[in-house]
Amino acid sequence: MLLRIDHVGIACHNLEEKIEFYETTFGLTVVSREVNEEQGVKEAMLHVTDAPSGASYVQLLEPLHPDTAVGKFLAKRGEGVHHIGYGVADVTQALQDIAAKGIKLIDERPRHGSMGASIAFLHPKDVGGVLTELVETARH
Ligand code: V0V
Ligand code: CO
């Protein structure tokens, strides 16, 4: 079901500062920036590598307001890894298969994600404390 690690989502207070850090420390390049009002974030995707099943990224996330998923996470836990995004071929089918195993879904249907992807989150309480995102890459 899982094709690759699409991205690691990292919560931060200051997006521009963290982009600069990842560029200078690891030589990564920003390939996309977006404000996603529905998710309450300003985010940037930094390309790590390409694989036959698709690319992998680091996703840096700054909250738009304190009362958002990432804003609450920062207040409780501070900066750090916020979620893992796995590539899937068909996010609607994957959600159906995972729900049938009794795992709690945050999203019953796919939402708009970075770079036109269709995304959906699974609840961390049912995934061993890991906020898990499914990512179906946009078709070109
Ligand atoms: C919260 N919890 C987490 C967590 N955030 N556990 C692991 N990883 C995280 N990131 C735990 C928290 O410690 C609490 O545990 C419990 O869940 C309830 O947390 P809360 O602070 O009361 O917050 P809630 O319940 O209001 O919201 C938590 C959830 C929320 C996970 C439901 O953050 C959510 O809906 N996330 C999905 C959307 C999202 O994260 N969007 C931003 C990325 P205790 O204290 O009860 O033990 S957007 C993105 O990735 C995009 C656009 C993309 O990739 O394209
Ligand atoms: Co993400």
Side-chain angles (χ1 to χ4, degrees):
M1 183 190 285
L2 306 181
L3 303 177
R4 68 187 181 283
I5 293 173
D6 182 273
H7 64 271
V8 176
I10 297 174
C12 64
H13 292 291
N14 186 315
L15 184 65
E16 298 311 320
E17 271 179 30
K18 280 296 179 292
I19 288 173
E20 166 87 23
F21 174 85
Y22 275 81
E23 284 176 343
T24 56
T25 308
F26 301 118
L28 297 185
T29 306
V30 175
V31 291
S32 162
R33 285 171 184 262
E34 191 171 326
V35 172
N36 187 323
E37 297 278 354
E38 184 185 29
Q39 298 294 339
V41 293
K42 186 163 87 168
E43 54 94 4
M45 293 295 245
L46 292 86
H47 180 256
V48 178
T49 192
D50 287 311
S53 60
S56 293
Y57 306 89
V58 169
Q59 181 177 45
L60 300 176
L61 303 153
E62 181 188 309
L64 292 177
H65 316 284
D67 191 20
T68 57
V70 175
K72 284 161 77 177
F73 179 91
L74 281 172
K76 271 195 181 173
R77 304 200 192 187
E79 294 187 316
V81 174
H82 178 258
H83 65 269
I84 308 287
Y86 293 107
V88 296
D90 181 337
V91 68
T92 304
Q93 184 66 53
L95 278 178
Q96 197 178 311
D97 294 350
I98 291 166
K101 293 174 186 172
I103 309 293
K104 187 176 176 196
L105 310 178
I106 291 174
D107 300 306
E108 301 279 341
R109 56 179 181 77
R111 318 243 169 224
H112 167 81
S114 193
M115 299 184 289
S118 292
I119 62 168
F121 285 91
L122 312 178
H123 203 283
K125 290 288 158 197
D126 275 5
V127 194
V130 179
L131 177 58
T132 302
E133 178 186 343
L134 306 176
V135 182
E136 180 183 334
T137 306
R139 282 176 234 281
H140 296 293

